[in-house]
Amino acid sequence: MKRKFEKGSNDSLSEDITRKFESLQKEKEENDELKHAWIDELQSIARQKYPKASLVLIGSSANMFGFKASDCDLTLISGERFVYGLHALDNIEKLLPNSKYTTTLVHGAKVPILKIKDKENSLEADINSECERNIRHTYLVRCYALLDPRVQPLGIIVKLWAKNAGIINQRDHKLSGFTLLLLYIYYLQAGCSPPVVPLLQVDYPSLFSSSRQTSALIDQLKTKKLPDELKNFKSSNKQTLGELFVGFFRFYANFNWSSKVVSISRSNAYVSNNRPRMKIEDPYEMGGNCARGIYESLSFMQIKNAFTKALRKIEDSMDLDSVL
């Protein structure tokens, strides 16, 4: 029988976070089997043109920070030499029957995307081609999720808060889901004493090297286990979920966005483009700013104020519902 804690305490907040996380995970798991079967179906179609092709699930549906409604973000690894992104996606689009799929090939963006919607089950996918960095991002974030039992539950709740607060939407010059996770992981590294998690790319360079073959990462993503080298990691931080949740908002409500650079991969980081209001370094692109789209004052202030508002509410009530 679970122990009931007094409402408005750190312990009750921790209990609420755990309960909400478990509910969201149950919803997600109900849809996972359908989603994976659908990806296998798309991969079979892709192999009609590229027999060695793989469709690798990336992003929130693969990094352990997704929801039931998370779309399928996929990277096409064609297995062919001299096959380029737009051309490969165009070939895949031609194979998809119009009777079942609605497709849109977006080729004006930095990375071409094939958008697919299945008319029968309402599943949607965004497919890019040969973007290995996205696979590395997914693998790195998922290792953090598995590293400590607090990381995934708290991260899911932080992401739910950000969605409800209206600060996740790259098209509106706000945060992407991935950028939010970089903020969250950085807090666990730099905003907690002692840290909850280390800088994996610093402490385990061979595991997370940009030169490591992506085929090894793809194989690892098919499991739900940590690499052997990380299995003995144990954090010396003993804070509860509730304490860490409050600390997350306190850390960013008082963060010096004008001078500090957020980087989960190294100390003394920098970004080459200082125009954006937030400086969040890409873990696999030295100097690259994942927050490069946040340059409008209004969008930046909405994000900044969301942290301040959430901190005030959670400190006043210690009630999870007050910020969700």
Side-chain angles (χ1 to χ4, degrees):
M1 183 175 177
K2 287 188 177 180
R3 182 182 172 190
K4 284 288 183 181
F5 294 103
E6 182 183 351
K7 197 69 177 173
S9 67
N10 266 316
D11 288 329
S12 69
L13 181 57
S14 298
E15 188 179 65
D16 289 345
I17 290 170
T18 300
R19 188 183 299 112
K20 185 66 175 178
F21 165 71
E22 290 174 348
S23 173
L24 291 169
Q25 283 298 101
K26 185 177 180 180
E27 289 179 4
K28 178 180 177 294
E29 288 167 4
E30 291 172 355
N31 200 45
D32 279 352
E33 189 173 340
L34 174 64
K35 188 178 288 186
H36 285 287
W38 187 60
I39 293 169
D40 288 342
E41 179 183 320
L42 292 175
Q43 181 172 269
S44 296
I45 294 172
R47 285 179 175 175
Q48 294 175 25
K49 178 65 178 180
Y50 304 111
K52 298 178 182 179
S54 295
L55 283 176
V56 184
L57 187 64
I58 57 170
S60 59
S61 290
N63 64 22
M64 301 189 73
F65 291 103
F67 301 100
K68 178 181 179 179
S70 297
D71 291 341
C72 297
D73 292 319
L74 302 166
T75 293
L76 170 69
I77 304 296
S78 69
E80 307 282 341
R81 296 180 66 189
F82 311 116
V83 173
Y84 299 101
L86 185 60
H87 179 65
L89 296 178
D90 182 52
N91 285 333
I92 301 300
E93 183 181 32
K94 291 173 181 175
L95 293 171
L96 296 167
N98 294 332
S99 58
K100 184 176 181 183
Y101 299 100
T102 300
T103 63
T104 304
L105 187 55
V106 182
H107 49 78
K110 182 179 179 181
V111 177
I113 296 288
L114 175 60
K115 290 183 167 293
I116 300 174
K117 183 171 182 178
D118 191 314
K119 299 175 184 177
E120 295 178 3
N121 56 31
S122 299
L123 287 172
E124 298 182 21
D126 285 355
I127 305 178
N128 65 61
S129 179
E130 314 292 340
C131 291
E132 295 186 353
R133 188 189 301 166
N134 291 340
I135 297 173
R136 297 189 192 281
H137 284 167
T138 302
Y139 174 70
L140 175 64
V141 169
R142 204 178 74 160
C143 283
Y144 277 111
L146 291 167
L147 203 56
D148 182 275
R150 294 165 291 181
V151 176
Q152 186 192 15
L154 188 61
I156 289 284
I157 300 305
V158 164
K159 194 171 178 182
L160 180 62
W161 159 77
K163 284 179 175 290
N164 291 343
I167 62 172
I168 294 187
N169 192 332
Q170 268 188 299
R171 294 173 189 170
D172 290 340
H173 307 287
K174 297 178 184 177
L175 297 167
S176 68
F178 176 65
T179 306
L180 176 73
L181 289 175
L182 294 183
L183 288 176
Y184 168 61
I185 294 168
Y186 180 74
Y187 158 69
L188 298 178
Q189 294 171 334
C192 304
S193 183
V196 176
V197 296
L199 279 72
L200 287 179
Q201 288 162 282
V202 172
D203 291 355
Y204 303 90
S206 61
L207 275 181
F208 302 101
S209 167
S210 59
S211 61
R212 188 180 178 194
Q213 291 291 321
T214 53
S215 57
L217 309 186
I218 292 170
D219 289 340
Q220 191 72 44
L221 285 171
K222 293 176 183 176
T223 74
K224 290 194 175 181
K225 298 178 181 178
L226 272 172
D228 290 340
E229 296 91 328
L230 302 180
K231 287 180 178 177
N232 293 326
F233 172 82
K234 190 170 180 63
S235 176
S236 56
N237 181 293
K238 304 302 179 185
Q239 289 176 277
T240 65
L241 286 171
E243 289 169 332
L244 290 172
F245 190 58
V246 176
F248 172 76
F249 296 115
R250 186 176 293 130
F251 182 68
Y252 283 114
N254 297 289
F255 197 75
N256 188 344
W257 297 103
S258 62
S259 64
K260 288 190 177 182
V261 177
V262 170
S263 176
I264 70 168
S265 60
R266 62 197 180 105
S267 58
N268 301 318
Y270 72 92
V271 293
S272 56
N273 183 351
N274 284 313
R275 184 189 175 201
R277 304 301 182 98
M278 305 175 79
K279 304 173 182 66
I280 306 173
E281 189 182 46
D282 188 306
Y284 280 101
E285 182 187 354
M286 188 177 293
N289 192 352
C290 289
R292 58 186 173 271
I294 306 173
Y295 52 81
E296 294 183 348
S297 177
L298 179 60
S299 298
F300 170 65
M301 290 307 297
Q302 287 176 338
I303 297 169
K304 185 178 177 181
N305 290 340
F307 286 106
T308 305
K309 183 178 179 181
L311 175 63
R312 184 176 65 252
K313 287 184 174 181
I314 200 68
E315 284 186 328
D316 286 346
S317 67
M318 296 299 289
D319 180 11
L320 182 62
D321 289 339
S322 70
V323 295
L324 293 185

